[in-house]
Amino acid sequence: MAIASDPGMNAMDRMNRRTLLDAGFVEESVDSPVGRQTCFSIGTGQPLWLLHGAGDNAGAWSKTATPLAASGRYRILIPDLAGHGTSEPGEGRLSMEIFLAGLTAVAERAADGPAILTGNSFGAWLAMVWARENPGRVERLAAVNGGPVTGLRPDLTLMPPDRVEARRLWQALVDQSHWAVPDFVLDEVIRKGRDGAIPRMSIPEMQPYLMDGHLAEFATPVDLIWGESDQVVPLAYARQLQAGLAAARLTTIPGCGHMPQLECPERFNAALLGVLRQPPPARQPT
């Protein structure tokens, strides 16, 4: 059976995925209860997962994966989340249960723990939920401009209907130095919001997986890495997570927005490798 392709995948996405393959990553597919899942992998050592955000795909980590692999310390695993990239299901609603099932199938096939999970935006939320539901399999996490509590700005839409709304979203996502953007980029933002995985995500049905009021119960140490210019999930959100989690440390990146691994990869890579060289954050006194 052919693996469905996300119609929101454009030329830039394909180029980023090609970058992974050119760097030596192996692209594999794995059976799961929700259909075939795609994962890129390279290296040996402790498993280090990179989980992309909503509407994106494994190529979002193309500028980070190679420096991580070059460290020689990790087995890097970058899945297309369920319903994204070339991972199934190719149609229908996408629930948190579907995302968890897809990730678990890849984890069982690809590598044993204890793993390090790194997630951007929705990928950070998913990483924390998966760690909570798989105790003992995750040593630590890095949450990049995302997490498991309510906080998305209600005046912005991830499915902008026109260039005006797409520009408002873009300007909230990136640093002001990157506000100048050609119309074709805005058109891709509109197309992904209309035809890609985002409109299939059942956010109201995922609300039971939020951890509002329960962050202190989350035991896995978390490094929060935050682009300071993010106005979609702003720095105040990161400080809320830091205050609520049992073991958390915050590292910020000035002049960078919601997807620092793409917007300012050199500084993001330095920040991620820097926190991974340190012991996990210590548990805060109660």
Side-chain angles (χ1 to χ4, degrees), residues 148-230:
V149 298
T150 306
L152 185 69
R153 273 178 52 180
D155 61 315
L156 294 172
T157 175
L158 299 180
M159 296 178 285
D162 52 41
R163 288 177 179 172
V164 172
E165 289 301 312
R167 184 172 285 106
R168 287 186 69 241
L169 177 61
W170 180 269
Q171 291 177 345
L173 287 169
V174 303
D175 184 73
Q176 187 172 353
S177 62
H178 297 128
W179 277 10
V181 59
D183 285 343
F184 77 84
V185 173
L186 298 177
D187 291 341
E188 285 298 333
V189 173
I190 296 168
R191 188 171 67 84
K192 282 193 172 187
R194 182 188 64 226
D195 301 328
I198 289 175
R200 298 171 55 203
M201 295 178 67
S202 180
I203 300 300
E205 294 177 11
M206 296 183 190
Q207 288 182 348
Y209 290 92
L210 290 169
M211 301 182 192
D212 294 84
H214 299 280
L215 285 174
E217 301 166 12
F218 188 78
T220 306
V222 181
D223 270 294
L224 304 164
I225 303 177
W226 229 260
E228 291 183 6
S229 300
D230 187 359

Side-chain angles (χ1 to χ4, degrees), residues 72-88:
R73 299 176 56 189
Y74 307 109
R75 174 164 170 74
I76 313 297
L77 300 131
I78 316 177
D80 284 333
L81 300 183
H84 290 67
T86 58
S87 286
E88 294 179 331

Side-chain angles (χ1 to χ4, degrees), residues 23-209:
F25 278 77
V26 175
E27 181 179 3
E28 299 179 293
S29 60
V30 176
D31 285 324
S32 86
V34 296
R36 300 284 285 177
Q37 304 296 297
T38 299
C39 184
F40 294 79
S41 64
I42 195 173
T44 59
Q46 184 174 20
L48 172 56
W49 292 83
L50 303 176
L51 307 183
H52 63 77
D56 221 318
N57 62 81
W61 297 101
S62 62
K63 297 179 180 179
T64 292
T66 299
L68 287 174
S71 73
R73 299 176 56 189
Y74 307 109
R75 174 164 170 74
I76 313 297
L77 300 131
I78 316 177
D80 284 333
L81 300 183
H84 290 67
T86 58
S87 286
E88 294 179 331
E91 58 184 19
R93 297 177 73 80
L94 296 172
S95 66
M96 186 65 81
E97 291 85 356
I98 287 175
F99 287 115
L100 291 169
L103 188 57
T104 297
V106 176
E108 291 176 348
R109 164 77 176 271
D112 296 325
I116 300 169
L117 300 186
T118 298
N120 173 231
S121 191
F122 171 74
W125 180 11
L126 176 61
M128 294 182 71
V129 173
W130 197 85
R132 183 184 64 182
E133 301 203 353
N134 292 272
R137 298 185 67 178
V138 180
E139 178 186 282
R140 62 191 296 182
L141 285 105
V144 182
N145 288 78
V149 298
T150 306
L152 185 69
R153 273 178 52 180
D155 61 315
L156 294 172
T157 175
L158 299 180
M159 296 178 285
D162 52 41
R163 288 177 179 172
V164 172
E165 289 301 312
R167 184 172 285 106
R168 287 186 69 241
L169 177 61
W170 180 269
Q171 291 177 345
L173 287 169
V174 303
D175 184 73
Q176 187 172 353
S177 62
H178 297 128
W179 277 10
V181 59
D183 285 343
F184 77 84
V185 173
L186 298 177
D187 291 341
E188 285 298 333
V189 173
I190 296 168
R191 188 171 67 84
K192 282 193 172 187
R194 182 188 64 226
D195 301 328
I198 289 175
R200 298 171 55 203
M201 295 178 67
S202 180
I203 300 300
E205 294 177 11
M206 296 183 190
Q207 288 182 348
Y209 290 92

